[in-house]
Amino acid sequence: MPTSRTSVPVPRERGAGSGAQRRQEIVAAAQRLIADKGFEGLRVREVADRVGINIATLHYHFPSKEALVTAVVQDIVGRLDRVPAGDVQPPPPREHLAGHLHHVLDQFERHREQFVVLNELYNRAIRDEALRRVLQASDTAWTDYLVPILRAGRDNGQLRADLDPVAAATLITGFFKSLLFHLGLTPQGARQAADELLRGLDSQETPR
Amino acid sequence: MPTSRTSVPVPRERGAGSGAQRRQEIVAAAQRLIADKGFEGLRVREVADRVGINIATLHYHFPSKEALVTAVVQDIVGRLDRVPAGDVQPPPPREHLAGHLHHVLDQFERHREQFVVLNELYNRAIRDEALRRVLQASDTAWTDYLVPILRAGRDNGQLRADLDPVAAATLITGFFKSLLFHLGLTPQGARQAADELLRGLDSQETPR
DNA sequence: CCTTGTCCATCATCTGCTTGATGGATAGTC
DNA sequence: GACTATCCATCAAGCAGATGATGGACAAGG
C-alpha cells in the first residue's frame, strides 16, 4: 500500500524523451548491454537502469522484451549498409575488393561493439527462424555485392581464372563472421589474414 | 509441511546410475539441450527431466549449474582432437591439407550438433576469460598442426610461394568457425567454398 | 552403520510485466 | 485569462511464474 509518495514524478527531462528519441535511447542501451553480457545477460530492468528510467516506463515504450529485442535487431541490421553507395568511378575489381576488405576490417576495429552484437544475432539466428530470414537477406545483399566484383576480376584477369565467385564470396563473408572467434587474434593478424585471403584470389601472373 | 508421503522413493534403477556413468548421461543431455536451445535455454530442471531423474539428484552429481556447464565444456573440448594421430606415412602437404579440410567438413555434416555446442562455447568465450583460455589452447594446437603442413607445401612448391602459413591457418580455422553463420549454406556450398579455399592456397603452376 | 544415489518438498531470488497513480503540456470552451 | 479534458511520459509497488539451490528422508549395498 503506497502510504507516502515522497518522490515527485520527475518532469520529463529536456533533451531526453520525445518518444522516438527515448526509444532510441533505450535501444542503444540495450545494444550496449548485449555487447557487454550477451543476449543471455539482457535484463529489461538493467536496460531501464542504464537509461535512468523506471521499468514501467520502458514497458510503456516497448510493450514486451521481445519488442525491444526486435527493435535492437532492426537497428543493427539497418546499420548494415556494408554495401557502399555506388562510387562514381568504381576502381578495378582487385582494388575494389581490397578496399572493401580493409574497410570492413576498419569498421571492426573501430566499432567492435556492434560486431559483438551482430555476432550474438547470428548465433541466435541458428535457432530463430524469423531472425534467420532477416540476416539471410542481409547476407544475400552482401554476396550480391561481392559476386559481380569477383566475376569481373576473374574475367579481366586480375583474379584467378578458376575462381568460383560465389564460393569466394562465402569465404570473404565467413572471414569477417569468424573474426570474433579467433580468440587471440591481433588487429595485425587480422589484416595479414585478410591479405592472405586476397592473395589467394589473385591471379599469380598479375603483377601487384 | 509434508503431512503425507504418498509416493515411495524409487529404488535405484539398474543400468542407470553408477556415478561416473550417470554424470556422463547428464552431461550428454545437457549438451543436447544446449544444441537445441543454446546456453541461454539451458535449465537444470530440463536436463534432469531428459535424463529422467530428480533435480536434487542432478545437484547431487553436480553441486551447481556452473559445475555442470564446466563438465560440458571439458567434455566438448576433450573431444576436440581435430589433430589426427600421426599417420604413419603422411601424404604430401597439399593432399594432407585437402584431406583435413574434407575430414572436418565431414564431421560438420555428421555431427552438426557438436558444432552447434562448440559455437556456443566460442560465443561465450568472448566474455568468459577462463573459457577463452581453454579454447585458445585448443585453437593453438589446431594452428600448430596446420602451419607446418602449410609451410612444407609452400616450400615443396605445391602451395603458393608467397603463402603466409600463419595467416592461411587463420583463414582455414576461421572458415570452419564461420560455417554455422552462413545461414543458407548447403553442404554442397560448403564443399565448394572449401575447394575454393584450397585453390587459393595452391600454386597455380602445379598441375592438379 | 556408513556411503551412495535417489526422491519430495520447499526456499529465496530473479524477472518480465501490470496496476494505479501523478504531473506536465496542449487544446478547446467559456 | 481561467477552467476543463485529454494525452503523454513517468513512477512506486507488486504479482506470478520460473529457476537454482537446499533440507531431510529413504532405500540398497557393503
Side-chain angles (χ1 to χ4, degrees):
Chain A
M1 70 242 58
T3 51
S4 73
R5 182 171 294 270
T6 51
S7 59
V8 186
V10 178
R12 195 186 317 165
E13 291 207 5
R14 286 297 155 209
S18 80
Q21 197 172 333
R22 176 64 92 188
R23 261 184 288 276
Q24 183 50 44
E25 233 180 316
I26 295 172
V27 167
Q31 274 181 27
R32 279 191 297 274
L33 188 51
I34 290 170
D36 285 353
K37 310 195 176 178
F39 267 108
E40 212 173 333
L42 182 66
R43 302 285 176 265
V44 290
R45 267 181 170 75
E46 192 168 350
V47 176
D49 283 351
R50 287 193 177 199
V51 178
I53 59 175
N54 190 280
I55 316 172
T57 303
L58 190 149
H59 271 100
Y60 169 78
H61 290 289
F62 295 97
S64 68
K65 182 180 183 178
E66 192 186 337
L68 172 57
V69 169
T70 300
V72 168
V73 171
Q74 286 177 344
D75 187 78
I76 286 276
V77 173
R79 220 186 295 274
L80 234 51
D81 283 329
R82 283 174 291 206
V83 181
D87 297 345
V88 186
Q89 191 69 7
R94 206 269 170 193
E95 286 72 21
H96 197 165
L97 215 51
H100 180 67
L101 257 73
H102 287 115
H103 170 70
V104 181
L105 220 44
D106 249 37
Q107 293 296 310
F108 178 73
E109 283 171 37
R110 265 206 267 282
H111 307 292
R112 185 187 170 95
E113 200 179 63
Q114 301 225 348
F115 276 76
V116 173
V117 179
L118 195 55
N119 199 68
E120 292 285 331
L121 257 44
Y122 272 103
N123 211 51
R124 213 158 216 246
I126 294 174
R127 285 171 206 91
D128 182 333
E129 166 92 31
L131 181 52
R132 188 163 56 240
R133 268 200 295 270
V134 173
L135 288 183
Q136 212 167 326
S138 153
D139 270 13
T140 301
W142 195 3
T143 300
D144 288 349
Y145 169 71
L146 289 174
V147 167
I149 302 176
L150 289 160
R151 187 174 293 128
R154 180 194 59 188
D155 294 344
N156 84 349
Q158 280 190 308
L159 303 186
R160 290 200 339 266
D162 61 353
L163 188 85
D164 176 342
V166 174
T170 302
L171 288 184
I172 294 173
T173 59
F175 169 67
F176 289 116
K177 290 175 182 178
S178 74
L179 276 180
L180 284 168
F181 284 177
H182 294 286
L183 303 173
L185 193 65
T186 61
Q188 190 190 358
R191 278 192 291 271
Q192 287 171 350
D195 289 342
E196 175 63 37
L197 177 57
L198 274 173
R199 282 198 301 275
L201 306 176
D202 275 340
S203 158
Q204 285 174 34
E205 289 78 25
T206 304
R208 283 180 297 278
Chain B
M1 65 248 58
T3 51
S4 72
R5 181 172 292 269
T6 51
S7 58
V8 187
V10 178
R12 195 185 318 168
E13 291 206 5
R14 285 296 152 210
S18 83
Q21 193 174 332
R22 176 64 88 184
R23 260 185 289 277
Q24 183 50 42
E25 232 180 316
I26 295 172
V27 167
Q31 274 180 27
R32 278 192 297 273
L33 188 51
I34 290 169
D36 285 353
K37 311 195 175 178
F39 268 107
E40 211 173 335
L42 182 66
R43 301 284 175 267
V44 291
R45 269 179 168 76
E46 192 168 350
V47 176
D49 283 351
R50 288 192 177 198
V51 178
I53 58 174
N54 189 279
I55 317 172
T57 305
L58 190 149
H59 270 101
Y60 168 78
H61 291 288
F62 296 97
S64 67
K65 183 181 183 178
E66 192 185 339
L68 173 56
V69 170
T70 300
V72 168
V73 170
Q74 286 177 344
D75 187 79
I76 285 277
V77 172
R79 220 186 295 274
L80 234 50
D81 284 329
R82 284 172 289 207
V83 181
D87 298 344
V88 186
Q89 193 67 7
R94 206 268 169 194
E95 287 71 21
H96 197 166
L97 215 52
H100 180 67
L101 256 73
H102 287 115
H103 170 70
V104 181
L105 220 45
D106 249 37
Q107 294 295 312
F108 178 72
E109 283 172 38
R110 265 206 267 282
H111 307 293
R112 184 186 170 97
E113 200 177 64
Q114 301 225 348
F115 277 76
V116 173
V117 180
L118 194 55
N119 199 69
E120 292 285 332
L121 257 44
Y122 272 102
N123 211 51
R124 219 161 211 240
I126 295 174
R127 284 171 207 93
D128 182 333
E129 166 92 31
L131 181 52
R132 187 163 57 240
R133 269 200 297 269
V134 173
L135 288 183
Q136 212 167 328
S138 155
D139 269 12
T140 300
W142 196 2
T143 299
D144 287 350
Y145 169 72
L146 290 174
V147 166
I149 303 176
L150 290 161
R151 186 175 294 125
R154 179 194 59 188
D155 293 345
N156 84 350
Q158 280 190 308
L159 305 185
R160 292 201 336 267
D162 61 353
L163 189 85
D164 176 343
V166 173
T170 302
L171 288 183
I172 293 173
T173 59
F175 169 67
F176 290 117
K177 290 176 183 177
S178 74
L179 276 180
L180 284 169
F181 284 178
H182 293 287
L183 304 173
L185 193 65
T186 62
Q188 190 189 356
R191 278 192 292 270
Q192 287 171 350
D195 289 342
E196 175 64 39
L197 177 57
L198 274 174
R199 282 197 302 274
L201 306 176
D202 274 341
S203 158
Q204 287 175 31
E205 290 76 24
T206 305
R208 283 182 299 276

